[in-house]
Amino acid sequence: MGYFKQREPRRFDHKYIFVDERKEKLDKIVENAKRDLGMLPPSEESYRDRLKGAFVGSNSHLSRRNENGQRLSSGAIVVALFICAFLLFYLAKSVWQL
C-alpha cells in the first residue's frame, strides 16, 4: 500500500533548553496588567501573534485543505474504481449472455 498513501514528513519540534516558560507567562501577565493600569503605553501585537496563521491564507493549497477538511484517500478511490469496473463487467456479461 506504499503506492497510494504519501508519508507525512516529521514535524519540527525544537525545545529550548534554557527557557523558563513559567517566568515568561508571569512576565506577560505583569506587562498586560501594567498596560491596563496605564503604567505602560499600549503596544502593537507581538511578531509571534502577527505571524501566527499568516502563511496559511497566502497559500491556496493550505487554505483549501483547511476549508475542505478530510478528503478521500487515493486508496479509497482505487477501491471504488475496482468496484465500479467489476459491476460494469458483471452487467455487460449478463447482457451479452441473453
Short mmCIF file of all heavy atoms in Angstrom, two decimals, residues 34-80:
data_model
loop_
_atom_site.label_atom_id
_atom_site.label_comp_id
_atom_site.label_asym_id
_atom_site.label_seq_id
_atom_site.Cartn_x
_atom_site.Cartn_y
_atom_site.Cartn_z
N LYS A 34 0.09 46.04 33.76
CA LYS A 34 0.61 47.41 33.76
C LYS A 34 0.02 48.22 32.61
O LYS A 34 -0.27 49.40 32.76
CB LYS A 34 2.13 47.40 33.66
CG LYS A 34 2.81 46.98 34.94
CD LYS A 34 4.32 47.05 34.82
CE LYS A 34 4.98 46.65 36.12
NZ LYS A 34 6.46 46.70 36.04
N ARG A 35 -0.19 47.59 31.47
CA ARG A 35 -0.82 48.28 30.33
C ARG A 35 -2.27 48.64 30.66
O ARG A 35 -2.73 49.73 30.31
CB ARG A 35 -0.77 47.42 29.08
CG ARG A 35 0.57 47.35 28.46
CD ARG A 35 0.52 46.75 27.06
NE ARG A 35 1.81 46.25 26.68
CZ ARG A 35 2.88 46.99 26.44
NH1 ARG A 35 2.81 48.28 26.57
NH2 ARG A 35 4.02 46.44 26.09
N ASP A 36 -2.98 47.73 31.33
CA ASP A 36 -4.36 48.01 31.70
C ASP A 36 -4.47 49.15 32.70
O ASP A 36 -5.42 49.93 32.67
CB ASP A 36 -5.02 46.75 32.29
CG ASP A 36 -5.26 45.68 31.24
OD1 ASP A 36 -5.24 46.01 30.02
OD2 ASP A 36 -5.46 44.50 31.63
N LEU A 37 -3.48 49.26 33.60
CA LEU A 37 -3.49 50.34 34.60
C LEU A 37 -2.96 51.65 34.05
O LEU A 37 -3.05 52.68 34.71
CB LEU A 37 -2.66 49.92 35.82
CG LEU A 37 -3.24 48.76 36.63
CD1 LEU A 37 -2.25 48.35 37.72
CD2 LEU A 37 -4.58 49.14 37.24
N GLY A 38 -2.38 51.63 32.85
CA GLY A 38 -1.87 52.86 32.24
C GLY A 38 -0.43 53.16 32.58
O GLY A 38 0.04 54.27 32.31
N MET A 39 0.26 52.26 33.19
CA MET A 39 1.66 52.49 33.55
C MET A 39 2.58 52.35 32.34
O MET A 39 3.66 52.93 32.32
CB MET A 39 2.08 51.51 34.65
CG MET A 39 1.30 51.71 35.95
SD MET A 39 1.61 50.42 37.15
CE MET A 39 3.25 50.83 37.66
N LEU A 40 2.16 51.59 31.36
CA LEU A 40 2.93 51.41 30.13
C LEU A 40 2.08 51.84 28.94
O LEU A 40 0.86 51.69 28.95
CB LEU A 40 3.33 49.94 29.95
CG LEU A 40 4.31 49.34 30.94
CD1 LEU A 40 4.48 47.85 30.67
CD2 LEU A 40 5.66 50.04 30.85
N PRO A 41 2.71 52.38 27.90
CA PRO A 41 1.92 52.75 26.73
C PRO A 41 1.44 51.50 25.99
O PRO A 41 2.08 50.44 26.04
CB PRO A 41 2.93 53.54 25.87
CG PRO A 41 4.26 53.06 26.29
CD PRO A 41 4.12 52.70 27.74
N PRO A 42 0.30 51.60 25.32
CA PRO A 42 -0.18 50.44 24.56
C PRO A 42 0.78 50.09 23.44
O PRO A 42 1.35 50.97 22.78
CB PRO A 42 -1.53 50.89 24.01
CG PRO A 42 -1.56 52.35 24.13
CD PRO A 42 -0.59 52.74 25.20
N SER A 43 1.01 48.81 23.25
CA SER A 43 1.95 48.39 22.21
C SER A 43 1.22 47.62 21.13
O SER A 43 0.07 47.19 21.30
CB SER A 43 3.04 47.50 22.82
OG SER A 43 2.48 46.27 23.21
N GLU A 44 1.91 47.44 20.04
CA GLU A 44 1.36 46.65 18.95
C GLU A 44 1.44 45.17 19.33
O GLU A 44 2.08 44.79 20.29
CB GLU A 44 2.17 46.90 17.68
CG GLU A 44 2.11 48.32 17.18
CD GLU A 44 2.93 48.49 15.92
OE1 GLU A 44 3.25 47.49 15.27
OE2 GLU A 44 3.25 49.63 15.61
N GLU A 45 0.81 44.36 18.50
CA GLU A 45 0.86 42.92 18.74
C GLU A 45 2.30 42.44 18.59
O GLU A 45 3.08 43.01 17.84
CB GLU A 45 0.00 42.19 17.73
CG GLU A 45 -1.48 42.51 17.80
CD GLU A 45 -2.25 41.79 16.71
OE1 GLU A 45 -1.77 40.74 16.23
OE2 GLU A 45 -3.30 42.28 16.35
N SER A 46 2.64 41.39 19.28
CA SER A 46 3.98 40.86 19.13
C SER A 46 4.12 40.22 17.75
O SER A 46 3.14 39.89 17.09
CB SER A 46 4.27 39.83 20.23
OG SER A 46 3.47 38.68 20.03
N TYR A 47 5.34 40.04 17.32
CA TYR A 47 5.57 39.48 16.00
C TYR A 47 5.05 38.05 15.91
O TYR A 47 4.62 37.61 14.86
CB TYR A 47 7.05 39.54 15.63
CG TYR A 47 7.93 38.61 16.41
CD1 TYR A 47 8.23 37.34 15.93
CD2 TYR A 47 8.48 38.96 17.63
CE1 TYR A 47 9.04 36.48 16.64
CE2 TYR A 47 9.28 38.12 18.35
CZ TYR A 47 9.56 36.87 17.85
OH TYR A 47 10.35 36.01 18.55
N ARG A 48 5.05 37.33 17.01
CA ARG A 48 4.53 35.95 17.00
C ARG A 48 3.03 35.95 16.73
O ARG A 48 2.51 35.12 16.00
CB ARG A 48 4.82 35.26 18.32
CG ARG A 48 6.27 34.93 18.51
CD ARG A 48 6.51 34.23 19.81
NE ARG A 48 7.94 34.00 19.98
CZ ARG A 48 8.50 33.64 21.11
NH1 ARG A 48 7.76 33.47 22.19
NH2 ARG A 48 9.79 33.45 21.18
N ASP A 49 2.30 36.88 17.35
CA ASP A 49 0.86 36.95 17.13
C ASP A 49 0.55 37.36 15.70
O ASP A 49 -0.43 36.91 15.12
CB ASP A 49 0.23 37.94 18.10
CG ASP A 49 0.33 37.47 19.54
OD1 ASP A 49 0.43 36.25 19.76
OD2 ASP A 49 0.31 38.34 20.44
N ARG A 50 1.36 38.24 15.13
CA ARG A 50 1.12 38.67 13.76
C ARG A 50 1.44 37.58 12.75
O ARG A 50 0.79 37.46 11.72
CB ARG A 50 1.95 39.91 13.43
CG ARG A 50 1.41 41.17 14.09
CD ARG A 50 2.18 42.38 13.65
NE ARG A 50 3.48 42.36 14.34
CZ ARG A 50 4.61 42.78 13.82
NH1 ARG A 50 4.63 43.27 12.62
NH2 ARG A 50 5.72 42.73 14.52
N LEU A 51 2.45 36.76 13.04
CA LEU A 51 2.85 35.71 12.10
C LEU A 51 1.99 34.46 12.20
O LEU A 51 1.95 33.66 11.26
CB LEU A 51 4.31 35.33 12.33
CG LEU A 51 5.34 36.35 11.89
CD1 LEU A 51 6.74 35.84 12.21
CD2 LEU A 51 5.24 36.62 10.41
N LYS A 52 1.31 34.29 13.30
CA LYS A 52 0.54 33.07 13.51
C LYS A 52 -0.59 32.98 12.47
O LYS A 52 -1.49 33.80 12.44
CB LYS A 52 -0.05 33.06 14.91
CG LYS A 52 -0.63 31.74 15.32
CD LYS A 52 -1.03 31.79 16.78
CE LYS A 52 -1.39 30.41 17.25
NZ LYS A 52 -1.71 30.42 18.67
N GLY A 53 -0.51 31.99 11.60
CA GLY A 53 -1.52 31.78 10.59
C GLY A 53 -1.41 32.68 9.38
O GLY A 53 -2.28 32.66 8.51
N ALA A 54 -0.35 33.49 9.28
CA ALA A 54 -0.23 34.42 8.16
C ALA A 54 0.08 33.70 6.86
O ALA A 54 -0.31 34.14 5.79
CB ALA A 54 0.86 35.44 8.46
N PHE A 55 0.78 32.59 6.92
CA PHE A 55 1.19 31.90 5.71
C PHE A 55 0.10 30.99 5.16
O PHE A 55 0.12 30.63 4.00
CB PHE A 55 2.47 31.10 5.95
CG PHE A 55 3.62 31.98 6.34
CD1 PHE A 55 4.12 31.94 7.61
CD2 PHE A 55 4.18 32.84 5.42
CE1 PHE A 55 5.18 32.75 7.98
CE2 PHE A 55 5.24 33.65 5.78
CZ PHE A 55 5.74 33.61 7.06
N VAL A 56 -0.84 30.61 5.99
CA VAL A 56 -1.90 29.70 5.53
C VAL A 56 -2.81 30.42 4.55
O VAL A 56 -3.22 29.86 3.54
CB VAL A 56 -2.71 29.17 6.74
CG1 VAL A 56 -3.90 28.36 6.28
CG2 VAL A 56 -1.82 28.33 7.62
N GLY A 57 -3.13 31.66 4.80
CA GLY A 57 -4.03 32.40 3.92
C GLY A 57 -3.42 32.71 2.57
O GLY A 57 -4.14 32.81 1.57
N SER A 58 -2.12 32.85 2.50
CA SER A 58 -1.50 33.21 1.23
C SER A 58 -1.25 32.02 0.32
O SER A 58 -1.06 32.18 -0.86
CB SER A 58 -0.17 33.94 1.48
OG SER A 58 0.71 33.08 2.17
N ASN A 59 -1.25 30.81 0.88
CA ASN A 59 -1.05 29.60 0.08
C ASN A 59 -2.40 28.98 -0.23
O ASN A 59 -3.13 28.59 0.67
CB ASN A 59 -0.18 28.58 0.82
CG ASN A 59 1.23 29.07 0.97
OD1 ASN A 59 1.71 29.85 0.16
ND2 ASN A 59 1.90 28.60 2.00
N SER A 60 -2.71 28.87 -1.51
CA SER A 60 -4.04 28.38 -1.88
C SER A 60 -4.23 26.93 -1.48
O SER A 60 -5.32 26.53 -1.07
CB SER A 60 -4.25 28.55 -3.38
OG SER A 60 -3.27 27.81 -4.10
N HIS A 61 -3.19 26.11 -1.59
CA HIS A 61 -3.37 24.70 -1.25
C HIS A 61 -3.57 24.49 0.25
O HIS A 61 -4.30 23.60 0.67
CB HIS A 61 -2.20 23.85 -1.76
CG HIS A 61 -0.89 24.14 -1.10
ND1 HIS A 61 -0.12 25.22 -1.44
CD2 HIS A 61 -0.25 23.49 -0.11
CE1 HIS A 61 0.98 25.22 -0.69
NE2 HIS A 61 0.92 24.18 0.13
N LEU A 62 -2.97 25.33 1.08
CA LEU A 62 -3.18 25.21 2.52
C LEU A 62 -4.56 25.70 2.93
O LEU A 62 -5.21 25.11 3.79
CB LEU A 62 -2.11 25.98 3.29
CG LEU A 62 -0.70 25.42 3.21
CD1 LEU A 62 0.27 26.33 3.95
CD2 LEU A 62 -0.64 24.02 3.79
N SER A 63 -5.02 26.79 2.31
CA SER A 63 -6.33 27.30 2.67
C SER A 63 -7.43 26.34 2.21
O SER A 63 -8.42 26.15 2.90
CB SER A 63 -6.55 28.69 2.09
OG SER A 63 -6.47 28.66 0.68
N ARG A 64 -7.26 25.71 1.02
CA ARG A 64 -8.24 24.73 0.56
C ARG A 64 -8.26 23.53 1.49
O ARG A 64 -9.31 22.97 1.77
CB ARG A 64 -7.91 24.27 -0.86
CG ARG A 64 -8.53 25.17 -1.91
CD ARG A 64 -8.33 24.57 -3.28
NE ARG A 64 -7.06 25.06 -3.79
CZ ARG A 64 -6.10 24.32 -4.32
NH1 ARG A 64 -6.25 23.03 -4.43
NH2 ARG A 64 -4.98 24.85 -4.74
N ARG A 65 -7.11 23.12 1.96
CA ARG A 65 -7.04 21.96 2.86
C ARG A 65 -7.78 22.26 4.15
O ARG A 65 -8.49 21.40 4.68
CB ARG A 65 -5.59 21.64 3.14
CG ARG A 65 -5.40 20.46 4.05
CD ARG A 65 -3.96 20.24 4.33
NE ARG A 65 -3.62 18.86 4.14
CZ ARG A 65 -2.42 18.38 4.21
NH1 ARG A 65 -1.41 19.16 4.46
NH2 ARG A 65 -2.19 17.10 4.04
N ASN A 66 -7.67 23.47 4.67
CA ASN A 66 -8.36 23.82 5.91
C ASN A 66 -9.86 23.95 5.69
O ASN A 66 -10.65 23.63 6.57
CB ASN A 66 -7.81 25.12 6.48
CG ASN A 66 -6.44 24.92 7.09
OD1 ASN A 66 -6.05 23.82 7.41
ND2 ASN A 66 -5.70 26.00 7.23
N GLU A 67 -10.29 24.45 4.53
CA GLU A 67 -11.70 24.63 4.27
C GLU A 67 -12.41 23.30 4.07
O GLU A 67 -13.51 23.09 4.58
CB GLU A 67 -11.91 25.49 3.02
CG GLU A 67 -11.51 26.94 3.18
CD GLU A 67 -11.51 27.68 1.86
OE1 GLU A 67 -11.88 27.08 0.83
OE2 GLU A 67 -11.15 28.86 1.87
N ASN A 68 -11.81 22.40 3.31
CA ASN A 68 -12.48 21.16 2.95
C ASN A 68 -12.41 20.11 4.04
O ASN A 68 -13.23 19.20 4.06
CB ASN A 68 -11.88 20.58 1.66
CG ASN A 68 -12.14 21.48 0.49
OD1 ASN A 68 -13.05 22.29 0.51
ND2 ASN A 68 -11.35 21.35 -0.55
N GLY A 69 -11.45 20.17 4.89
CA GLY A 69 -11.33 19.17 5.94
C GLY A 69 -10.76 17.87 5.39
O GLY A 69 -9.80 17.86 4.62
N GLN A 70 -11.39 16.76 5.73
CA GLN A 70 -10.89 15.45 5.33
C GLN A 70 -11.26 15.17 3.89
O GLN A 70 -12.38 15.35 3.47
CB GLN A 70 -11.47 14.38 6.25
CG GLN A 70 -10.94 13.00 6.02
CD GLN A 70 -9.48 12.87 6.42
OE1 GLN A 70 -8.99 13.64 7.22
NE2 GLN A 70 -8.81 11.90 5.87
N ARG A 71 -10.31 14.69 3.11
CA ARG A 71 -10.55 14.30 1.72
C ARG A 71 -10.44 12.79 1.60
O ARG A 71 -9.92 12.11 2.46
CB ARG A 71 -9.52 14.95 0.81
CG ARG A 71 -9.68 16.44 0.71
CD ARG A 71 -8.75 16.96 -0.34
NE ARG A 71 -8.92 18.38 -0.48
CZ ARG A 71 -8.36 19.09 -1.42
NH1 ARG A 71 -7.58 18.52 -2.29
NH2 ARG A 71 -8.57 20.38 -1.51
N LEU A 72 -10.94 12.28 0.50
CA LEU A 72 -10.82 10.85 0.24
C LEU A 72 -9.37 10.51 -0.07
O LEU A 72 -8.70 11.23 -0.81
CB LEU A 72 -11.69 10.44 -0.94
CG LEU A 72 -13.19 10.40 -0.70
CD1 LEU A 72 -13.91 10.07 -2.00
CD2 LEU A 72 -13.54 9.39 0.36
N SER A 73 -8.92 9.41 0.44
CA SER A 73 -7.56 8.99 0.16
C SER A 73 -7.52 8.33 -1.22
O SER A 73 -8.54 7.89 -1.75
CB SER A 73 -7.06 8.02 1.22
OG SER A 73 -7.80 6.82 1.15
N SER A 74 -6.35 8.25 -1.79
CA SER A 74 -6.22 7.65 -3.12
C SER A 74 -6.52 6.16 -3.07
O SER A 74 -7.00 5.59 -4.04
CB SER A 74 -4.83 7.91 -3.67
OG SER A 74 -3.85 7.38 -2.81
N GLY A 75 -6.27 5.52 -1.95
CA GLY A 75 -6.59 4.09 -1.81
C GLY A 75 -8.09 3.86 -1.89
O GLY A 75 -8.55 2.89 -2.52
N ALA A 76 -8.88 4.72 -1.26
CA ALA A 76 -10.34 4.59 -1.31
C ALA A 76 -10.84 4.81 -2.73
O ALA A 76 -11.79 4.15 -3.18
CB ALA A 76 -11.00 5.57 -0.35
N ILE A 77 -10.24 5.72 -3.45
CA ILE A 77 -10.63 5.99 -4.83
C ILE A 77 -10.33 4.78 -5.70
O ILE A 77 -11.14 4.38 -6.54
CB ILE A 77 -9.94 7.26 -5.35
CG1 ILE A 77 -10.46 8.48 -4.59
CG2 ILE A 77 -10.16 7.42 -6.85
CD1 ILE A 77 -9.71 9.75 -4.87
N VAL A 78 -9.18 4.17 -5.52
CA VAL A 78 -8.81 2.99 -6.31
C VAL A 78 -9.76 1.84 -6.03
O VAL A 78 -10.21 1.15 -6.95
CB VAL A 78 -7.34 2.59 -6.03
CG1 VAL A 78 -7.02 1.24 -6.62
CG2 VAL A 78 -6.40 3.65 -6.56
N VAL A 79 -10.12 1.63 -4.77
CA VAL A 79 -11.06 0.56 -4.42
C VAL A 79 -12.42 0.83 -5.05
O VAL A 79 -13.06 -0.08 -5.59
CB VAL A 79 -11.17 0.42 -2.88
CG1 VAL A 79 -12.32 -0.48 -2.48
CG2 VAL A 79 -9.87 -0.09 -2.30
N ALA A 80 -12.88 2.08 -5.00
CA ALA A 80 -14.16 2.42 -5.62
C ALA A 80 -14.13 2.19 -7.13
O ALA A 80 -15.11 1.71 -7.71
CB ALA A 80 -14.51 3.87 -5.31
#
